[in-house]
Amino acid sequence: MGEKAMLDALDPFRRALRARAGEALPPAWQAAAEAATRAAADTAQLVPARGRAARMGTLGHGPPDAGAVSLALILTAVGITLR
């Protein structure tokens, strides 16, 4: 998962933020960070195919990708700072 899974969280953030381009930044960012958080949680459904987690095979299915979750937390923290 790794890099790809982080993109799985970043892309929904980017799309949601872009969709709210006419809004004030703090609420738009918060909505986009929520989209990233949901997407990060969805990585739990993925089976790792690359990186260290790939060695786990189907045993790696279940927990969300740590990189995606970390990215979502960072984006959320930035949104809190923008308020």
Side-chain angles (χ1 to χ4, degrees):
M1 290 189 291
E3 180 183 320
K4 171 72 169 100
M6 286 193 331
L7 292 177
D8 287 338
L10 185 59
D11 189 52
F13 172 82
R14 179 194 60 80
R15 283 186 277 121
L17 189 60
R18 189 170 200 173
R20 292 167 174 78
E23 296 179 19
L25 183 58
W29 190 284
Q30 180 178 352
E34 290 169 3
T37 300
R38 286 189 301 277
D42 289 345
T43 63
Q45 303 306 314
L46 302 175
V47 175
R50 296 208 297 255
R52 290 180 294 175
R55 290 181 239 154
M56 297 288 290
T58 57
L59 293 176
H61 180 267
D65 180 75
V69 171
S70 297
L71 178 61
L73 289 170
I74 290 167
L75 294 171
T76 299
V78 169
I80 291 168
T81 302
L82 291 174
R83 284 191 223 160

